[in-house]
Amino acid sequence: MAEPQPYESALDAIPGAHPYPRSSRYHDAEIGIHTQPDGTPVRYVKRRLLPPLSADTDETRTHTVSSGERPDHLGQRYFGDPAAWWRIADANPVLDPRELTAEPGHDIAIPDGFPGGGGGGHGR
């Protein structure tokens, strides 16, 4: 009986296949292959570079954080997808996405022209 193929091997057989869904921050990241000393190939996501932070351009709008908001709420509000919170995190200088909404009254940048992004008309 043949061993089941690992997820990575199954993707290798599909031209253009990517292990991350279109809504993922890693969807457009390049997939690399590292070959271990024993010859085993290991797939990995190559480094993903962020666009420069620029809150003073036409590519962003400002949102004032309200009490009780979470990053996923903002993803839903501005992009129609709660999983799109990472687009907002990428546009702000935070290491932890919870920092985005930790302080009510704080203004954060909402991207409008970033790759894969659209944006809603809900800016404040």
Side-chain angles (χ1 to χ4, degrees):
M1 181 179 266
E3 294 253 344
Q5 293 294 313
Y7 179 68
E8 292 83 6
S9 295
L11 284 174
D12 288 339
I14 303 171
H18 202 282
Y20 295 96
R22 290 197 184 281
S23 61
S24 170
R25 69 172 71 189
Y26 299 108
H27 177 73
D28 292 326
E30 187 178 347
I31 302 297
I33 298 176
H34 168 75
T35 304
Q36 295 181 338
D38 68 358
T40 304
V42 178
R43 291 170 55 109
Y44 66 95
V45 176
K46 291 189 176 184
R47 188 165 64 172
R48 180 178 151 271
L49 300 176
L50 300 178
L53 295 175
S54 57
D56 297 330
T57 70
D58 292 337
E59 294 181 347
T60 60
R61 59 186 61 181
T62 302
H63 173 84
T64 303
V65 175
S66 297
S67 181
E69 282 187 312
R70 297 188 323 237
D72 59 321
H73 294 161
L74 298 178
Q76 177 64 42
R77 178 175 179 176
Y78 289 101
F79 298 102
D81 180 1
W85 59 265
W86 62 267
R87 293 180 180 161
I88 300 166
D90 282 358
N92 292 273
V94 298
L95 293 177
D96 182 336
R98 293 173 290 193
E99 294 176 44
L100 290 169
T101 55
E103 187 180 331
H106 180 72
D107 287 338
I108 58 173
I110 304 294
D112 196 32
F114 283 47
H122 298 94
R124 291 185 187 181

